Amino acid sequence: DDLEASQSDHPSTKSQLLACSFNQDGGCLAIGTTSGFSVHNLHPQYSLSVSRELRGGIGHVEMLFRCNLMALVGGGPTPHSAPHRVLIWDDHLPKEIGELSFRQAVLKVKLRKDAIAVALRDRVYVYHLADLSLRDKIYTADNPFGLLSLSTQVQDMVLACPSVTTGHVRVELYGL
């Protein structure tokens, strides 16, 4: 009974699920809904860590390990922000502390301690996380699903995305 009562008050019961993703160590699950987002701790035991009601939906949510920084992209029928913007959210404040804006819809966002990578339909952008300055722009073949992977090791960063040649994968090694 207690579990059902607490779940009925949870934002996800009042809105639709738009996105879900684990953080880099798999210890947290971030949920984007038509009315905001939430973060759930999974280890050592389950608990709701954060629940934020926003002005609209969050279609992509990416956490940075277990720290306060997240990347949010608007989504759903009434998005919190335009789907071509990535908002850098600091949950200690809690508010947006940075923004990346594009001419196309953002399809995927990946974070690591020193970088943020953003996949669009025909390219991938890589930014330094500290100041959001552009590090690289990679052209890809048509990428309607935003295929993108980013290593989370402290050492050199490795990024994988579609190549400009359809059916091929491009792997980039970035020395730190």
Side-chain angles (χ1 to χ4, degrees), residues 2 11 21 26 43 107 113 121 135-136 142 144 149 165 176:
D2 291 335
S21 62
H43 299 298
L107 301 175
K113 291 184 179 185
R121 179 98 188 211
R135 182 172 187 174
D136 200 3
D142 188 38
S149 191
T165 305
L176 299 179

Side-chain angles (χ1 to χ4, degrees), residues 3-61:
L3 180 60
E4 287 178 22
S6 65
Q7 287 178 340
S8 67
D9 294 335
H10 189 271
S12 65
T13 60
K14 300 172 189 160
S15 59
Q16 293 179 316
L17 177 68
L18 297 175
C20 61
S21 62
F22 290 104
N23 69 338
Q24 291 84 353
D25 69 8
C28 294
L29 179 65
I31 304 289
T33 69
T34 52
S35 63
F37 70 92
S38 59
V39 175
H40 306 260
N41 282 317
L42 303 176
H43 299 298
Q45 65 183 33
Y46 172 80
S47 66
L48 175 64
S49 175
V50 171
S51 182
R52 300 284 179 223
E53 292 286 324
L54 301 176
R55 297 183 311 264
I58 298 298
H60 299 285
V61 56

Side-chain angles (χ1 to χ4, degrees), residues 47-170:
S47 66
L48 175 64
S49 175
V50 171
S51 182
R52 300 284 179 223
E53 292 286 324
L54 301 176
R55 297 183 311 264
I58 298 298
H60 299 285
V61 56
E62 180 79 4
M63 296 180 63
L64 181 60
F65 292 93
R66 287 180 178 257
C67 81
N68 52 305
L69 294 180
M70 289 179 243
L72 307 176
V73 179
T78 56
H80 173 70
S81 62
H84 66 273
R85 295 172 54 206
V86 176
L87 306 176
I88 309 303
W89 180 272
D90 184 335
D91 204 62
H92 282 303
L93 297 179
K95 68 177 190 173
E96 302 158 17
I97 59 166
E99 174 185 326
L100 298 169
S101 189
F102 304 92
R103 293 185 180 148
Q104 302 176 35
V106 173
L107 301 175
K108 176 84 68 152
V109 179
K110 293 300 221 177
L111 290 174
R112 57 178 272 139
K113 291 184 179 185
D114 57 348
I116 179 170
V118 179
L120 308 179
R121 179 98 188 211
D122 63 352
R123 65 195 76 179
V124 170
Y125 289 94
V126 182
Y127 295 88
H128 295 278
L129 187 57
D131 61 4
L132 299 181
S133 63
L134 183 64
R135 182 172 187 174
D136 200 3
K137 178 167 67 170
I138 302 167
Y139 290 97
T140 68
D142 188 38
N143 185 10
F145 303 110
L147 301 176
L148 171 65
S149 191
L150 189 63
S151 69
T152 57
Q153 299 296 336
V154 176
Q155 302 83 9
D156 296 341
M157 178 173 69
V158 182
L159 179 144
C161 64
S163 169
V164 291
T165 305
T166 301
H168 290 207
V169 175
R170 178 172 176 165

